[in-house]
Amino acid sequence: MKTSTGQSTRAALAASMLVVSHALFGQSATVPRIEPSAAAVAYGVSADSLSWEQALDLALWASSVPGLGGPKPAEEARTADARQAASRLAASRKAVTDAAADLARELPPSATEAEAADFVLRFMHRRFLKSYSERQTRLDLLTESGRYNCVSSAALYAVLALSIGLDVSAVASSDHAFCVVRADGMDYDVETTNPWGFDPGSKKEFHDSFGTTTGFAYVSPKDYRNRKTMGVKELFSLILSNRIVELESSRRYSEAVGLSVDRWTLLGSPAEGDGAYGELLGRLLNYGSSLAMAGKESEALAWAGAAVAAFGPNPRWTEFRGTALNNLVVGLLRRSDVGAARARLDAEGGTVPPRMKEELERAIAATELAEAIKAAERVARTDGWRAGLAALDAVNASSADPKALADARRVFRGNRIAELHNRFAALYNARSYAEAREAAAEAVAEFPDDTRLKADLETAERALVSSGAGR
């Protein structure tokens, strides 16, 4: 459990980053909330042993806290939607509070703790639970509709059990959750989705109906590897976790971020190996990926920077930034915006894997060379291949691919030689042998090792001799 100081530091850091996120992404209704809600901070620093009223408030908060947020005018808190949501929560709270009072009156005074735990389960099913719904994880919706799943029914059971003074905790497996009650010196499993779920291993009625209702298999106390024991606070955090899954299945990635921040803060577990941290990191990355897949690589990189500043570095962020920067730079290069590509690599290159930076450096250099070759070709078309070759010679050879630059020079040189040869040929064919000899001599002076130009000079000299002009 984190200390109060640690939680306050984390909340302050995340809250400070809210300003960054809004500066980057504006005041959009879909801005992720990366600061924890006040309730998450408050419950995060509290002990795990909650009163039943605190447990009820925590479960209702986890069921209803919005994923989005940010700086808002005070009057927005008084909107019709906000009033309606507050009214629904108040109704849910009253329904459970009234039920707790009735439970206390109806519980037989002579009941043992184990009998009381069983009584709570049957009372809850009579009072609230109507139909199993695999994804209905919220306590407020349970009280309204009677629809429940393992998490929402376990949350309600925990609140009611606490209200009569029972010692209750929870167990989670890979895809299921239920309660455990410490009664009369023994631990009893309580499969809250079933009215016969108290100490289920001993009841035929439970085994006949449980799998048919829920689709899950009961995880007995002997199966230690598949059971994770947790307190009530962590049980209620599963409401947030399931809501996160639902949001992401609807591609509402920005809302999932806020709930993940709250769950991470609530559990007070910043370690990288912790489940809440892994869930938070995954949601942060998924939102960033949604930006990148929408072609918003610049926003994705800005989001990565804000998230790392708020929650710390991780190798997965390095890979994410590398992919986003690669896509951004490649897109800029395809638009021939080499300057912008270079600027982004200079700004972000230190945050990506070294191999990725090297690959992008090569891609930018190749594009710069390609652009330089195109520019030299434009010069050649207007001023001739000699001027084009001079333009190509001005390219920074240290940053260019040596082979690509040599290939380009070979082409430009060949075109310049062809240009000189054609000039000679035109004069020679016009029987202007003296001028042809002069042109050939100038060509050989420019390219003394070229055999074709030397042959042109010899041809011109022979023609002059034959014509008598060379005597």
Side-chain angles (χ1 to χ4, degrees):
M1 179 64 62
K2 286 289 291 184
T3 65
S4 176
T5 301
Q7 285 279 358
S8 299
T9 300
R10 186 190 319 168
L13 178 59
S16 71
M17 290 311 303
L18 177 66
V19 177
V20 176
S21 73
H22 278 266
L24 291 170
F25 308 112
Q27 298 291 332
S28 166
T30 59
V31 172
R33 174 170 62 80
I34 62 173
E35 89 287 8
S37 65
V41 175
Y43 285 116
V45 299
S46 67
D48 197 54
S49 56
L50 305 171
S51 70
W52 77 269
E53 293 95 341
Q54 290 174 323
L56 172 58
D57 288 339
L58 175 55
L60 288 174
W61 165 80
S63 298
S64 60
V65 61
L68 299 177
K72 296 181 178 180
E75 58 268 21
E76 286 196 27
R78 297 190 292 272
T79 63
D81 287 346
R83 289 195 300 271
Q84 183 179 13
S87 176
R88 290 178 64 185
L89 284 182
S92 294
R93 193 179 197 285
K94 184 177 186 305
V96 178
T97 302
D98 290 347
D102 291 343
L103 171 64
R105 285 192 296 270
E106 295 179 21
L107 181 67
S110 61
T112 65
E113 289 181 334
E115 290 170 341
D118 192 7
F119 187 89
V120 171
L121 180 63
R122 296 173 186 268
F123 172 89
M124 179 181 74
H125 273 266
R126 291 195 308 271
R127 181 79 168 235
F128 290 105
L129 276 56
K130 297 178 180 177
S131 61
Y132 180 82
S133 178
E134 183 178 356
R135 296 185 177 182
Q136 204 307 88
T137 195
R138 292 169 52 174
L139 180 57
D140 57 337
L141 295 184
L142 185 157
T143 62
E144 289 178 10
S145 67
R147 293 183 297 109
Y148 63 94
N149 71 357
C150 60
V151 172
S152 54
S153 62
L156 179 57
Y157 180 87
V159 170
L160 293 174
L162 288 171
S163 76
I164 60 170
L166 293 176
D167 182 359
V168 61
S169 58
V171 165
S173 62
S174 60
D175 54 6
H176 187 48
F178 53 91
C179 288
V180 175
V181 172
R182 182 72 176 172
D184 306 321
M186 295 179 61
D187 289 332
Y188 293 91
D189 286 351
V190 184
E191 280 283 4
T192 56
T193 58
N194 191 296
W196 296 284
F198 178 78
D199 193 16
S202 64
K203 292 188 176 70
K204 180 180 184 299
E205 299 94 334
F206 169 80
H207 290 285
D208 287 345
S209 66
F210 177 64
T212 303
T213 300
T214 67
F216 298 114
Y218 170 56
V219 183
S220 75
K222 296 179 181 179
D223 195 359
Y224 295 110
R225 290 179 300 176
N226 293 321
R227 292 170 61 107
K228 177 189 176 184
T229 302
M230 60 181 62
V232 169
K233 187 190 296 186
E234 189 171 0
L235 168 64
F236 294 163
S237 82
L238 296 180
I239 298 174
L240 291 171
S241 186
N242 286 353
R243 289 180 62 200
I244 290 164
V245 171
E246 286 293 299
L247 288 169
E248 289 210 322
S249 68
S250 302
R251 299 186 179 183
R252 295 160 66 182
Y253 301 108
S254 57
E255 294 176 68
V257 168
L259 298 190
S260 294
V261 172
D262 281 341
R263 183 167 188 261
W264 178 69
T265 303
L266 174 66
L267 296 179
S269 47
E272 289 196 11
D274 180 79
Y277 176 85
E279 182 179 71
L280 170 62
L281 178 62
R283 306 299 74 74
L284 295 169
L285 285 163
N286 283 355
Y287 176 70
S289 296
S290 73
L291 293 173
M293 291 179 68
K296 300 177 180 179
E297 290 88 357
S298 291
E299 289 186 27
L301 288 168
W303 169 250
V308 168
F311 304 108
N314 185 278
R316 292 178 66 187
W317 277 121
T318 305
E319 291 295 326
F320 172 85
R321 285 169 142 172
T323 299
L325 183 60
N326 177 77
N327 293 344
L328 176 59
V329 168
V330 168
L332 291 169
L333 293 180
R334 285 174 178 169
R335 296 192 293 274
S336 298
D337 195 346
V338 180
R342 172 65 68 185
R344 290 315 299 255
L345 182 59
D346 289 345
E348 304 280 352
T351 68
V352 305
R355 57 174 175 75
M356 179 67 71
K357 183 179 180 181
E358 293 171 2
E359 290 173 3
L360 291 176
E361 289 279 8
R362 288 193 293 269
I364 290 175
T367 304
E368 286 176 333
L369 177 58
E371 292 299 313
I373 292 172
K374 290 178 182 178
E377 288 173 342
R378 289 193 293 271
V379 170
R381 284 195 294 269
T382 56
D383 300 330
W385 285 103
R386 183 173 187 175
L389 191 57
L392 190 62
D393 286 340
V395 172
N396 182 6
S398 63
S399 62
D401 177 4
K403 182 179 183 303
L405 182 58
D407 289 343
R409 282 185 51 79
R410 189 177 303 109
V411 171
F412 273 58
R413 185 178 185 277
N415 289 342
R416 172 57 178 164
I417 290 172
E419 184 178 59
L420 291 171
H421 171 74
N422 291 341
R423 179 188 173 198
F424 158 78
L427 293 171
Y428 182 87
N429 291 337
R431 299 182 181 278
S432 299
Y433 300 131
E435 293 177 10
R437 181 186 182 284
E438 183 178 353
E442 291 174 358
V444 170
E446 187 173 339
F447 297 101
D449 297 329
D450 187 79
T451 56
R452 181 168 57 166
L453 296 181
K454 289 193 286 188
D456 289 343
L457 180 57
E458 293 172 358
T459 299
E461 288 177 342
R462 284 197 300 271
L464 283 172
V465 171
S466 298
S467 66
R471 295 177 182 172

